[in-house]
C-alpha cells in the first residue's frame, strides 16, 4: 500500500460534523481532531457542549470551530455547509450525524405535526447538506460523506420510536443512491448504523428499565459508548483504508443486529 499512513492522512483535512456537541458526534469530532484535522463542530442549543468538544480537539492537536445552527429550519443544512466551508477554506468530509427521536409515540397517534418534526430534523438537513457539499467535495482530491443512520432502520425501532427508525431507513437508502450518483466523481458516500449507544438521546427518551431490557438483547452484553463508533468513522474517512468502499453501512451494535 502506498500513500500516507492511515489516520495521518487526515491531517489538515477539512471536516464538518453535525450534532457534535455531545454523544457520537462529539466522539467523532474529537477523533478527527486528534488525527490533525480541521473540524467544524456543529451544535443547536448546546453551546457549552460544543465548546467542550472544541477544547478537546485543540488539546488533541487539531483545530476546531464551533458553529450553531437549527437544522430543523428549511435550507439550514445547505447554509451550514456553506458557512463551514468559509471557515475551513473548503470541505473534504461531511458527517451528517445530527438527529433525534423527538419523542416516543405509537404510530396510531402520529399526526402531521409529529411527522413534520421528525422529517425536518432527521431527513431534510441530510439531503440539503449533501446537495450543498457535492460541488465542494469534487476536489481534487475528491472528498467523502459519512451519514449516520441507526439499527432502528433495520429493526423498526423499539416501542414508540418507529417513526425515527423509518427516517433513519430513508438516510440509509439515500446513502446508497447518492453513492451511486457520485461514484463517477470518486466521491465516496457511506454510513454508520449505531446500535444502542449511551447518549443524550437515550437519556431523554429511554427510561432506565427499558435501556436495561435493550442491553439484555445485545450479544456483547453491554450498551455501547460513543467511543465505540469512533473506529468506524476513522476507517471510512481514510482513503487508504476504505478507498474502495462506497454505498456501504457499517453496523456498530455489539452484535444486536447481524446482517
Amino acid at each position: 500500500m502506498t500513500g500516507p499512513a492511515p489516520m495521518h492522512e487526515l491531517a489538515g483535512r477539512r471536516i464538518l460534523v453535525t450534532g457534535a456537541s455531545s454523544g457520537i458526534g462529539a466522539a467523532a469530532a474529537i477523533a478527527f481532531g486528534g488525527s490533525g484535522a480541521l473540524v467544524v463542530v456543529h451544535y443547536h442549543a448546546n453551546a457549552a457542549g460544543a465548546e467542550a468538544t472544541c477544547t478537546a480537539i485543540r488539546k488533541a492537536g487539531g483545530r476546531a470551530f464551533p458553529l450553531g445552527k437549527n437544522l430543523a429550519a428549511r435550507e439550514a443544512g445547505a447554509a451550514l455547509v456553506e458557512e463551514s466551508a468559509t471557515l475551513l477554506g473548503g470541505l473534504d468530509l461531511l458527517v451528517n450525524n445530527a438527529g433525534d427521536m423527538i419523542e416516543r409515540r405509537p404510530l396510531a397517534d402520529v399526526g402531521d405535526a409529529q411527522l413534520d418534526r421528525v422529517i425536518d430534523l432527521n431527513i431534510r438537513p441530510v439531503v440539503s447538506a449533501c446537495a450543498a457539499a457535492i460541488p465542494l467535495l469534487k476536489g481534487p482530491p475528491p472528498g467523502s460523506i459519512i451519514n449516520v443512520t441507526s439499527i432502528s432502520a433495520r429493526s423498526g425501532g423499539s416501542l414508540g420510536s418507529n417513526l425515527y427508525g423509518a427516517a433513519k431507513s430513508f438516510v440509509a437508502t439515500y446513502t446508497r443512491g447518492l453513492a451511486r450518483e457520485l461514484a463517477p466523481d470518486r466521491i465516496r458516500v457511506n454510513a454508520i448504523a449505531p446500535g444502542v449507544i449511551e447518549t443524550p438521546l437515550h437519556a431523554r427518551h429511554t427510561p432506565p428499565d427499558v435501556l436495561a431490557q435493550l442491553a439484555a438483547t445485545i450479544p456483547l452484553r453491554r450498551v455501547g459508548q460513543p467511543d465505540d463508533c469512533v473506529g468506524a468513522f476513522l476507517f471510512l474517512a481514510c482513503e487508504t483504508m476504505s478507498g474502495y468502499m462506497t454505498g456501504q453501512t457499517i453496523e456498530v451494535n455489539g452484535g444486536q443486529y447481524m446482517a
Side-chain angles (χ1 to χ4, degrees), residues 83-224:
E83 291 175 30
S84 297
T86 298
L87 281 170
L88 298 172
L91 188 68
D92 299 304
L93 172 63
L94 168 63
V95 178
N96 283 306
N97 167 73
D100 199 280
M101 195 183 301
I102 309 296
E103 64 176 305
R104 290 186 181 273
R105 179 178 293 199
L107 290 175
D109 295 337
V110 171
D112 285 344
Q114 169 74 1
L115 180 60
D116 285 344
R117 291 179 68 197
V118 171
I119 290 173
D120 285 348
L121 184 56
N122 294 286
I123 292 179
R124 200 180 306 279
V126 173
V127 175
S128 175
C130 285
I134 290 168
L136 301 168
L137 296 175
K138 288 185 176 180
S144 64
I145 297 170
I146 302 173
N147 294 324
V148 177
T149 175
S150 169
I151 189 174
S152 62
R154 302 274 197 177
S155 68
S158 54
L159 184 63
S161 69
N162 178 263
L163 201 60
Y164 171 76
K168 288 300 188 179
S169 183
F170 173 96
V171 173
T173 301
Y174 176 77
T175 296
R176 293 190 291 273
L178 190 61
R180 190 178 299 276
E181 284 194 12
L182 298 184
D185 293 314
R186 294 186 57 242
I187 298 173
R188 299 183 302 113
V189 187
N190 293 291
I192 293 170
V196 183
I197 308 295
E198 192 172 351
T199 64
L201 182 148
H202 279 296
R204 288 192 298 271
H205 303 301
T206 307
D209 60 324
V210 175
L211 195 62
Q213 292 171 14
L214 291 172
T217 69
I218 300 171
L220 288 183
R221 295 301 182 194
R222 68 175 178 88
V223 170

Side-chain angles (χ1 to χ4, degrees), residues 8-66:
H8 293 171
E9 72 178 81
L10 297 180
R13 300 288 277 179
R14 300 159 299 182
I15 301 174
L16 163 61
V17 182
T18 71
S21 61
S22 65
I24 293 170
I30 292 167
F32 289 136
S35 299
L38 289 69
V39 187
V40 167
V41 174
H42 161 260
Y43 68 96
H44 175 208
N46 188 8
E51 190 52 49
T53 300
C54 289
T55 298
I57 289 171
R58 292 164 188 146
K59 286 182 177 178
R63 295 176 62 191
F65 308 85

